[in-house]
Amino acid sequence: MRRPKKPCPITEAGIRFVDYKDDRLLARFITDYGKILPSRLSGVDARHQRQLSKAVKKARFLALLPYVKGQQG
Amino acid sequence: MATHKTRMAPTRPYEIVYIIDSALEDAAIAEKLEKHHGLLELAEPAEIEHWGRRQLAYKIGRHEAGYYAIAKVNAAPGTLPEFERALKLDENIVRYMVSLVERVLGAPKLSDEELAARAAHDDDDDEDDE
């Protein structure tokens, strides 16, 4: 039995290329600890997941997203 | 050989994100950006988007907040090393990132028709909720 495929939330939002400056969008695809959510949980398609991965890493460098959440220092 | 002065160096589109010390006055920040952009020898002025002061997701050195500014420029790649060296030496610049704009980021701007269609669609969703 296969579960029906979830539609990709990024495609649905009409986004062609994921923007690393859009921290509100990126925050939807990280876990409570700040890790990148696997596409099997988020339903993001492979192309957007690759873009997302790079965007999250850029956003972390720019202190828009934390490297590790829920930890001081 | 003799033409290198008259011919303009080919430029590429870059996006530069700055995190500047939030203690600095707005006027000083604008002046600083202008000074640094001078090193890029831009043909047209940089398009600057000021996000203003915001909390950093984590502490960078002693900084807990920073002034974010994003500049879009068309610069010759050869001017970048000197520009980046100046940014590194500038103590008021907490962090910066230069990236090549290869694609349009985010969602494309919708035409009026598409916006209307989307608005109508959203209204349908609202009715479903009720």
Side-chain angles (χ1 to χ4, degrees):
Chain A
M1 288 285 276
R2 289 186 69 151
R3 233 173 286 152
K5 216 160 85 188
K6 272 192 234 175
C8 171
I10 295 181
T11 310
E12 286 214 314
I15 291 166
R16 275 194 211 146
F17 204 90
V18 178
D19 186 357
Y20 62 90
K21 300 185 297 303
D22 190 352
D23 59 321
R24 281 180 59 194
L25 173 82
L26 299 178
R28 283 172 48 199
F29 301 100
I30 62 174
T31 69
D32 293 345
Y33 287 108
K35 293 166 113 182
I36 302 171
L37 206 63
S39 61
R40 106 183 103 80
L41 299 183
S42 60
V44 175
D45 60 36
R47 190 167 61 95
H48 283 122
Q49 182 72 11
R50 288 194 296 273
Q51 296 173 5
L52 192 64
S53 159
K54 290 223 167 134
V56 167
K57 287 163 192 175
K58 279 185 172 179
R60 282 176 182 159
F61 176 72
L62 292 171
L64 297 173
L65 292 179
Y67 281 97
V68 184
K69 244 193 226 176
Q71 190 179 308
Q72 273 310 311
Chain B
M1 288 294 269
T3 57
H4 77 279
K5 265 191 177 169
T6 49
R7 195 186 296 160
M8 282 291 287
T11 62
R12 305 192 78 186
Y14 293 101
E15 189 169 80
I16 309 156
V17 181
Y18 301 94
I19 306 176
I20 305 162
D21 191 341
S22 55
L24 239 59
E25 301 280 330
D26 287 12
I29 288 171
E31 196 181 315
K32 192 171 277 297
L33 288 180
E34 199 160 318
K35 196 184 91 194
H36 286 305
H37 288 153
L39 291 171
L40 291 173
E41 299 163 15
L42 301 174
E44 64 237 60
E47 193 184 308
I48 304 176
E49 193 184 322
H50 291 274
W51 281 10
R53 289 165 184 81
R54 61 176 275 169
Q55 185 78 31
L56 301 175
Y58 50 87
K59 272 175 84 170
I60 301 178
R62 61 187 169 82
H63 301 283
E64 293 194 24
Y67 184 101
Y68 281 76
I70 295 129
K72 293 202 171 102
V73 298
N74 281 304
T79 60
L80 285 178
E82 188 54 36
F83 169 70
E84 293 200 50
R85 202 183 84 89
L87 292 184
K88 279 180 198 149
L89 291 175
D90 192 330
E91 285 179 355
N92 291 314
I93 294 188
V94 181
R95 195 163 273 191
Y96 72 91
M97 184 170 79
V98 182
S99 53
L100 192 62
V101 182
E102 290 176 290
R103 292 176 190 83
V104 176
L105 301 178
K109 287 214 166 61
L110 298 174
S111 68
D112 291 344
E113 288 163 27
E114 284 173 315
L115 274 176
R118 182 159 294 196
H121 183 76
D122 287 348
D123 287 346
D124 291 349
D125 287 352
D126 291 346
E127 281 160 24
D128 290 345
D129 291 341
E130 284 162 9

